[in-house]
Amino acid sequence: MSYRSMFQGYFNKFDEIKKTSNIFKNKFWIKREFNKIKRLKKLKSYEINLAKDYPLLVASSIIYNKQKKFNIIDYGGGFGAGYLSVSRGINELKNLKYYIIDLPEICSLGKKIFSREKNLFFFEQFPKIKNCDIFHFGSCLQYIDDWKLLLMQTCRLKPRYIIFSDLIAGNIDGFVTLQKFDKYKMPYRFYNIKEIISFIKKKGYNLVLRNNYQVHFNGIPSVLPTKKFPKKNRLEYTSNLIFKKK
């Protein structure tokens, strides 16, 4: 059966449909699913779940307690996509304070876009807040030179959770390349993920989630274009990481 002919007709009750048999007894379906689970068993734990979204919303919905203040710092949070995801995505959300750290030009425009939002704040430097629940890095660490200093500053705030979304890291040798966008060129870092994990763990955090992230180019799911690099530096998928304070 073709994909387009999968669904047929309109009915009100199961009894109105004359079925031939239970699909889940079909030999083709059983063989297909059986082979799929055999393939999955051979994968590493972080390869089984290929994420297509940042983990920030789901993590926030679990961590959030409406009886308490909920503070999120989003480093490299841009104009506020993460804020919209959390503030509009969690039902009956109260007491949210969302802090975005980014470049002056972005902060200036962000303040104009969200001028009426009372729980969103833009900063060019680390905000001095206490009781941070989540510190989020969304696809930005690749542009940082002194990444250890940045992560040290992050850990000093003692957030309950540290989340990395679309982290350009994997089981590779770390290196720096050049990224070209339109007429602009800038340094771009690929990380050895074990080095990142080890650094955060030494600061008093446990790794509670690691999975691969599906990157998109021009809205189309893809893999990273790294075939031109040596094999030890090639990376197909980026990573999502969630750490919890001990």
Side-chain angles (χ1 to χ4, degrees):
M1 177 182 289
S2 69
Y3 175 78
R4 293 186 177 182
S5 62
M6 180 177 177
F7 300 114
Q8 301 176 357
Y10 302 88
F11 305 91
N12 294 314
K13 300 178 181 179
F14 271 37
D15 294 342
E16 295 178 25
I17 298 176
K18 187 178 180 179
K19 68 177 183 178
T20 54
S21 64
N22 192 320
I23 291 174
F24 303 111
K25 294 181 180 180
N26 180 277
K27 290 182 179 180
F28 172 79
W29 184 89
I30 291 173
K31 183 178 179 180
R32 186 190 68 184
E33 297 303 308
F34 183 71
N35 289 334
K36 184 190 297 184
I37 201 69
K38 286 199 299 183
R39 289 195 301 270
L40 288 173
K41 281 191 68 179
K42 294 178 182 179
L43 297 177
K44 295 181 174 62
S45 59
Y46 55 85
E47 296 175 320
I48 293 175
N49 299 299
L50 180 60
K52 296 177 175 60
D53 295 298
Y54 284 7
L56 178 61
L57 173 59
V58 174
S60 296
S61 67
I62 295 172
I63 298 167
Y64 168 63
N65 182 342
K66 64 181 179 181
Q67 305 299 329
K68 298 180 180 180
K69 293 181 180 179
F70 190 41
N71 296 323
I72 297 177
I73 298 177
D74 194 352
Y75 189 93
F79 297 117
Y83 168 74
L84 285 177
S85 175
V86 173
S87 63
R88 273 49 165 183
I90 299 178
N91 291 335
E92 300 180 0
L93 180 63
K94 299 178 181 179
N95 302 321
L96 172 67
K97 298 291 184 183
Y98 201 101
Y99 304 85
I100 290 177
I101 305 174
D102 218 306
L103 298 173
E105 298 85 351
I106 293 176
C107 289
S108 179
L109 287 173
K111 290 176 182 178
K112 292 180 180 179
I113 296 171
F114 290 102
S115 60
R116 296 185 180 181
E117 300 283 335
K118 304 300 182 183
N119 55 349
L120 175 62
F121 311 91
F122 288 87
F123 289 87
E124 299 169 24
Q125 303 292 334
F126 269 59
K128 295 181 180 180
I129 68 167
K130 296 181 179 179
N131 303 318
C132 176
D133 293 290
I134 296 175
F135 199 109
H136 179 246
F137 294 94
S139 191
C140 61
L141 208 65
Q142 64 268 33
Y143 301 111
I144 303 300
D145 186 13
D146 195 346
W147 63 273
K148 290 185 178 181
L149 175 61
L150 174 60
L151 296 188
M152 193 175 297
Q153 291 175 315
T154 301
C155 294
R156 282 174 183 165
L157 291 177
K158 299 181 180 180
R160 292 171 58 203
Y161 293 85
I162 298 175
I163 299 177
F164 294 89
S165 299
D166 188 18
L167 176 66
I168 315 298
N171 297 328
I172 60 171
D173 289 347
F175 67 102
V176 174
T177 186
L178 180 149
Q179 183 188 32
K180 183 179 179 181
F181 184 83
D182 196 17
K183 297 179 181 179
Y184 293 84
K185 297 178 181 180
M186 62 188 300
Y188 190 102
R189 186 186 298 277
F190 281 72
Y191 289 89
N192 176 285
I193 198 166
K194 291 181 180 179
E195 192 172 1
I196 299 288
I197 293 173
S198 176
F199 187 91
I200 300 293
K201 280 186 173 181
K202 288 178 180 179
K203 300 301 178 183
Y205 287 82
N206 289 323
L207 179 67
V208 296
L209 179 140
R210 174 188 173 184
N211 60 11
N212 286 343
Y213 176 76
Q214 174 74 74
V215 296
H216 291 73
F217 291 101
N218 298 321
I220 301 174
S222 182
V223 295
L224 290 170
T226 59
K227 288 185 178 180
K228 64 181 70 175
F229 299 139
K231 285 187 177 180
K232 64 180 181 179
N233 300 117
R234 292 178 188 173
L235 188 66
E236 287 190 337
Y237 300 109
T238 60
S239 298
N240 291 334
L241 301 176
I242 298 180
F243 294 88
K244 183 180 181 180
K245 189 90 174 71
K246 291 180 182 179

